[in-house]
Amino acid sequence: MDIKIANGRIITPTDNYRADIGIRKGKIVEIAKRISGGAKEVVDATGAYVFPGGIDMHTHLDMPFMGSSSSDDFETGTIAAAHGGTTCIVDFAIQGKGQSLKQTLNAWKAKARGKAVFDYGFHIAICDLTHKVLNEIPQAVAEGVTSFKTFLAYKGALMIDDGALFQILRQCNKSGALVMIHAENGDVIDFMVKDLIAQKKTAPKYHALSRPAAAEAEATSRAVAIAEMAGAPIYIVHLSCKDALEKVKEARDRGFPVFAETCPQYLILSYKNYEEPGFNGAKYVMSPPLRDRSNHAPLWQGLASGDLQVISTDHCPFNFKGQKDLGKKDFSQIPNGAPGIENRLCLIYNEGVNKKRISVNRFVDLVSTTPAKLFGLYPEKGTVAVGSDADLALFDPKKSYTIRAKTNHQNVDYTPYEGYKGKGAPRVVIAQGRVLVKDGKFLGRPGQGRYIKRKPIRLI
Ligand code: URP
Ligand code: ZN
Ligand code: ZN
């Protein structure tokens, strides 16, 4: 055996038990109450949970956007994620105008190659639908891209219309792919942005006021209706508010397969952050925007009940100095997005498990197992079982921490969680059967991550 993990407590969505784990050639080869055989390395997990490594289904590394480029690349972004217990990401490859799906995928593979420190996959965001592109979907699925994002917002840039969404849904459903939807009403938002700027309302908080919860709820409801017409399941990304959640719940209660993720920022931060002094509110400019605190409890309720199935980060970092300040005079020029890839597990464990909103089993389900199941990575990833990849987070529930930009590893000059104090953090992180992070020290190597061809997805 290459590694033996001794004395840990294994947690999956259904299990909680003490056992040793044997790892060989990147795989879990044995799980037993006591493994007596030797191993090249023994990792003591006394007092720690052994979670399947976190899987983040929503990241934007090295992404050109709004006249800038997200500040983490596949090296800094995956190193930061590994420090926080994440061992696999699925990033968004964004189709440029006139680009084929193959060109899009190859461009993003080139960004990750030689840099990623753990395994990764890609969704493709279809932003320029033509007949040719529609017909390329089955080939992209064969190459392991089994989910596609569509934007109902960012008019004039990434947004597609309802007819295009309908066609993508039908083709993806036939081809074994899941459609992910950024649900905000781009037409109304576009008008509201221009109207606010014309009134000289240019401060960061107007970003939030130009994109009310109703714009998200309307687009969510429309997406559900179009999906029902196409007979295809959908996955709503970065759901931020109660009104949109109600649309998801209504569809699920009718038995229609609508899935949705939320993100730590929508569970912890709020509209009040936009009112921080000076230009500080720009740190939180993301879409959908942060909402009133009254949305927190319904979102936690949705996570506990199963109406929300996944917690991702939507990690899309831009430096406060030099990037966010592009919009100093006009909120609509602030690059949309915020960092979070490093802190997801710690934040959700502290806010969710320590505060008794969700069980530790549900925590694992939300940050690892269901993402793997919904997106064609299971059971190689998302569980702790013989035959699965040895991607593991040994998590010490008693370890206290304070989040600070200067001690984080993300390549960005701020964190929206500056000064946040919590309990529960990774002690050791293992990916592909190798120790990647130990006691805060990175022991991996850029380029050791592999592109993962995901399996087709059939939810209907
Ligand atoms: O503000 C955000 N969310 N930026 C990233 C792009 C997206 O919409 O996911
Ligand atoms: Zn989005
Ligand atoms: Zn995103």
Side-chain angles (χ1 to χ4, degrees):
M1 255 170 320
D2 299 324
I3 298 182
K4 176 170 90 174
I5 300 172
N7 307 316
R9 178 162 286 278
I10 295 175
I11 309 289
T12 71
T14 47
D15 301 308
N16 180 336
Y17 63 105
R18 218 219 53 77
D20 292 352
I21 298 174
I23 295 170
R24 188 166 53 231
K25 292 193 175 146
K27 296 275 183 193
I28 296 174
V29 292
E30 191 178 352
I31 299 179
K33 210 157 183 52
R34 194 69 66 208
I35 298 177
S36 45
K40 287 183 202 144
E41 186 176 354
V42 177
V43 178
D44 181 25
T46 305
Y49 288 130
V50 182
F51 296 148
I55 301 177
D56 193 342
M57 296 312 303
H58 192 147
T59 65
H60 301 279
L61 300 178
D62 200 357
M63 180 181 79
F65 191 43
M66 294 184 72
S68 218
S69 206
S70 58
S71 57
D72 267 313
D73 66 11
F74 280 82
E75 183 174 327
T76 61
T78 55
I79 290 175
H83 278 277
T86 289
T87 56
C88 180
I89 59 167
V90 184
D91 198 83
F92 289 91
I94 313 285
Q95 181 205 14
K97 193 132 193 75
Q99 253 188 346
S100 69
L101 298 184
K102 184 144 192 106
Q103 285 167 334
T104 309
L105 178 61
N106 286 345
W108 253 263
K109 277 185 177 173
K111 288 173 191 265
R113 203 175 297 123
K115 291 198 166 184
V117 303
F118 54 58
D119 293 347
Y120 55 91
F122 293 108
H123 321 277
I124 295 181
I126 301 180
C127 308
D128 184 18
L129 185 72
T130 60
H131 195 62
K132 187 169 163 289
V133 166
L134 204 58
N135 288 329
E136 290 168 358
I137 289 175
Q139 184 54 35
V141 172
E143 288 175 32
V145 177
T146 56
S147 42
F148 293 84
K149 184 174 179 183
T150 56
F151 292 90
L152 303 183
Y154 304 125
K155 188 173 168 142
L158 308 175
M159 179 168 144
I160 59 162
D161 63 26
D162 294 350
L165 174 61
F166 180 73
Q167 294 177 71
I168 293 168
L169 281 163
R170 270 208 319 207
Q171 178 72 319
C172 283
N173 195 36
K174 269 196 275 178
S175 315
L178 178 62
V179 178
M180 309 166 82
I181 301 178
H182 176 135
E184 287 186 291
N185 185 316
D187 281 316
V188 174
I189 289 168
D190 184 60
F191 178 82
M192 287 173 79
V193 167
K194 287 177 178 148
D195 194 43
L196 286 163
I197 298 294
Q199 294 174 56
K200 308 233 176 319
K201 295 181 171 167
T202 59
K205 71 174 181 184
Y206 293 106
H207 168 78
L209 298 174
S210 72
R211 320 176 80 96
E216 187 178 344
E218 184 282 327
T220 305
S221 154
R222 179 161 38 101
V224 168
I226 296 170
E228 290 197 272
M229 287 187 263
I234 49 168
Y235 177 97
I236 304 292
V237 292
H238 47 45
L239 186 143
S240 74
C241 61
K242 174 173 177 275
D243 295 356
L245 177 57
E246 272 165 11
K247 306 297 179 190
V248 169
K249 192 167 153 28
E250 265 167 38
R252 291 177 64 82
D253 289 350
R254 284 200 302 281
F256 193 72
V258 175
F259 302 90
E261 67 177 20
T262 190
C263 312
Q265 53 270 33
Y266 301 121
L267 297 162
I268 298 170
L269 307 172
S270 78
Y271 173 78
K272 280 262 169 260
N273 291 101
Y274 294 113
E275 295 181 335
E276 287 177 13
F279 187 60
N280 236 29
K283 293 177 178 172
Y284 314 94
V285 166
M286 63 186 82
S287 296
L290 300 175
R291 306 293 186 192
D292 182 83
R293 295 191 73 81
S294 61
N295 290 280
H296 292 175
L299 292 182
W300 280 110
Q301 180 53 36
L303 291 165
S305 70
D307 284 317
L308 293 167
Q309 301 80 34
V310 173
I311 301 177
S312 309
T313 59
D314 193 11
H315 177 76
C316 189
F318 296 101
N319 286 302
F320 186 58
K321 289 206 175 73
Q323 293 191 292
K324 288 286 187 184
D325 53 17
L326 289 169
K328 206 138 199 181
K329 295 200 176 106
D330 173 352
F331 71 84
S332 71
Q333 301 304 309
I334 301 170
N336 284 202
I341 203 167
E342 186 165 353
N343 307 117
R344 179 179 63 130
L345 268 61
C346 285
L347 288 167
I348 298 304
Y349 186 87
N350 193 52
E351 293 292 325
V353 182
N354 287 344
K355 298 191 180 173
K356 305 211 179 310
R357 290 159 159 149
I358 51 172
S359 69
V360 69
N361 303 88
R362 183 71 184 140
F363 166 82
V364 166
D365 206 359
L366 291 163
V367 302
S368 181
T369 308
T370 294
K373 285 185 174 170
L374 274 181
F375 287 93
L377 291 164
Y378 191 85
E380 288 79 10
K381 303 204 183 285
T383 192
V384 183
V386 171
S388 293
D389 290 354
D391 287 2
L392 302 163
L394 277 49
F395 194 89
D396 181 348
K398 297 216 161 82
K399 189 166 163 185
S400 297
Y401 60 86
T402 303
I403 297 177
R404 300 213 179 279
K406 69 169 193 280
T407 49
N408 262 352
H409 301 81
Q410 301 168 148
N411 183 38
V412 57
D413 61 1
Y414 79 98
T415 161
Y417 305 102
E418 187 68 37
Y420 179 98
K421 288 184 197 311
K423 212 173 187 193
R427 195 192 283 168
V428 177
V429 179
I430 294 173
Q432 299 169 255
R434 285 183 279 225
V435 175
L436 206 51
V437 177
K438 190 169 191 183
D439 297 324
K441 226 171 139 183
F442 179 67
L443 302 174
R445 182 175 49 76
Q448 70 192 22
R450 304 164 296 186
Y451 168 69
I452 302 293
K453 275 190 175 185
R454 291 179 295 122
K455 287 173 263 198
I457 301 167
R458 299 229 174 260
L459 300 168
I460 278 190

